Amino acid sequence: INFLACQLVALLFAIPFRSLLSVEKVGTKTRHYVETVLGVLLTIFCFGYQIWHLLVQSLVSYAVMAYGGRRFSHALVFAFSMIYLSVCHIYRQVYDYGGYTLDITGPLMIQTQKLTSLAFALHDGRYKDQSRLSADQKQHVVSKLPSMLQYLSFMFYFHGIMVGPLTFYNDYIAFIDGTNYIKPGGNAAASGSRKHPAEHLNRVVIKKLLVASACCTGMMILPGLFFPPEKLNTPEYYNMTFFERMMFLLGVMTLAKHKYYFAWILGDALNNAAGLGFSGYDAQGNPQFDLTDNVDVYGVEFSTSLKVNIDSWNKKTLVWLRRVVYDRAPFYNTLAVFACSAFWHGFYPAYYITFGSGAFMTIVTRQVRRKIRPYFQKSPSFSFFYDVLTFTFCRFANAYLAMPFLVLEFQACYYMYKSLYFYLHILTLIGFITLMFVPTPKQARRQSPPGGTLAQSSTERPASTTHERMTENKARGNGNGVSTDGSTVVQRLAHKAQDNETNGNMVGGSTVETGGQSRKEEGGLDNAGQNKSVNNSGSTLWQGEKEQSMLIGEVEGGGGETQAGAGPASQPKIQFDLHTKSE
């Protein structure tokens, strides 16, 4: 009840905050003060004295960032934040074992993401050689320590204190000072119109609130009517046939996701209502407000790839894991990500079962896509058949992997998996061993449309057309389809000749950088199977020493999904008359 009350109060304050306390009217300092005070008050109302956990974790981390030294300050913040969060997880596990009581660990998990991402961005900006940073890291560097007001505002902003989702520091500061509405992209007509992107923002907010309300209704009504989760790990469940157990588990897990849909979509709507969330423009010049979008419901429910399924769930956490863990781990990057994710969630055995199984299954499904999928791309009917198979697999794999999150205990997980004969674990192990002896088809390097949803079957993506769409969290850039410095459009090359015009050594796509902006075209791998960025002359600008995307943005089949950069260089920046009040 307290959570919902806080979110409703935040919504009531968010709209006047956007309109009456805009940067043009009151300046940035006032906005920082309002964000901080309202956030602290809502936290006290919902969690009471437990707010001191947020204060201790944030203030100690700030001191470490300020005085921790150039070599280890970021690592110390990461270690301290994770350890502090872990202690709170353990304490909760002791006094409320197996319960779902809302407590301060939720906001602590979001704050841990904020602290660690800021610490690494500061380290990148203050101490690291800028020439050694990736393009994504350069976009998010923070060159100086924030003031205490800026810092506390970032930690406690009222429309994101309950469930987030995570907003990175530079994006938040751009929202406060009004520069978040200065983005490259859009078409010529949109550039000339100078319409403010937030002109129809209320429609966006209302739409998301309606979706959140529908999810809330489904969360409260449907499980009890059709698939009550209380039946799991009971004699009634074990007396079902194998097929009935599979279908019942699928139904339970499908409906169990509604509570997360509700919380994340409501949180996204609150941030948008306050003005936070503008991420750029689509191909038609329409403004997009998905910077705080944390879940792609359609991608979760209809994906034909386990990677896309994972990409679509808790997207901002996946981007955080990539930037803080995957891009910086010296080895075993994917395993490091799964381990950190489990550690961040807590210490119930179920988390480690889920993420351990998920890591193994992700590795094998990559190999299936790389080595088996090309054989099904020889005709539209074969391709559609493959998509139906992978769609079905993703539905059951999602329920199978996420089931431990409902039962939590190791013994319950064991008996549940035993009742299913560990069928996906066994199939994954067989696939892992078998695929070691299966060669990679040559055509896998030339063709590799990324995994998508069932409605985006390869039969519906003819090679004779150029397909333009916004991508949503392919674990590149900010994870919502745009780079943090502007809007982006994923453009699929229609003909191989277009590739050769860009770079004769590229096969199936490229990344083009022009005038400081980039257009990433899907499938950009050279003959060696490595990502490259090229300028207009075709010379190599950057070659990844390792795949930039991991499990949440993995290049599958020799040329998977890539996140778009900013719009074409010919598109001017759209600027609005924003006069920031000097403080």
Side-chain angles (χ1 to χ4, degrees), residues 296 299-300 303-313 450-453 456 473-474 551 556 561:
D296 175 8
V300 172
S303 56
T304 60
S305 163
L306 187 60
K307 179 196 76 69
V308 175
N309 187 275
I310 295 174
D311 287 352
S312 304
W313 180 264
T453 62
Q456 296 169 335
N473 179 41
K474 305 307 176 190
L551 70 143
E556 295 185 292
E561 300 185 16

Side-chain angles (χ1 to χ4, degrees), residues 264-377:
W264 287 334
I265 296 173
L266 177 60
D268 185 24
L270 292 183
N271 282 294
N272 290 171
L276 175 61
F278 177 62
S279 54
Y281 301 87
D282 63 11
Q284 289 73 42
N286 300 313
Q288 301 294 300
F289 281 86
D290 53 11
L291 186 68
T292 56
D293 179 16
N294 203 35
V295 63
D296 175 8
V297 176
Y298 189 78
V300 172
E301 300 297 345
F302 295 98
S303 56
T304 60
S305 163
L306 187 60
K307 179 196 76 69
V308 175
N309 187 275
I310 295 174
D311 287 352
S312 304
W313 180 264
N314 204 357
K315 298 192 294 184
K316 305 302 288 187
T317 294
L318 300 181
V319 179
W320 169 69
L321 288 168
R322 179 181 67 80
R323 289 178 177 168
V324 173
V325 181
Y326 185 86
D327 286 350
R328 303 174 191 273
F331 45 80
Y332 298 121
N333 308 67
T334 299
L335 294 178
V337 165
F338 276 108
C340 182
S341 182
F343 197 64
W344 178 75
H345 278 85
F347 294 94
Y348 284 108
Y351 302 150
Y352 298 86
I353 294 172
T354 289
F355 291 113
S357 302
F360 184 42
M361 201 170 295
T362 300
I363 293 171
V364 175
T365 54
R366 289 176 190 165
Q367 295 301 313
V368 170
R369 189 169 183 83
R370 185 172 293 119
K371 296 183 177 183
I372 304 301
R373 184 179 184 274
Y375 294 109
F376 288 86
Q377 304 305 301

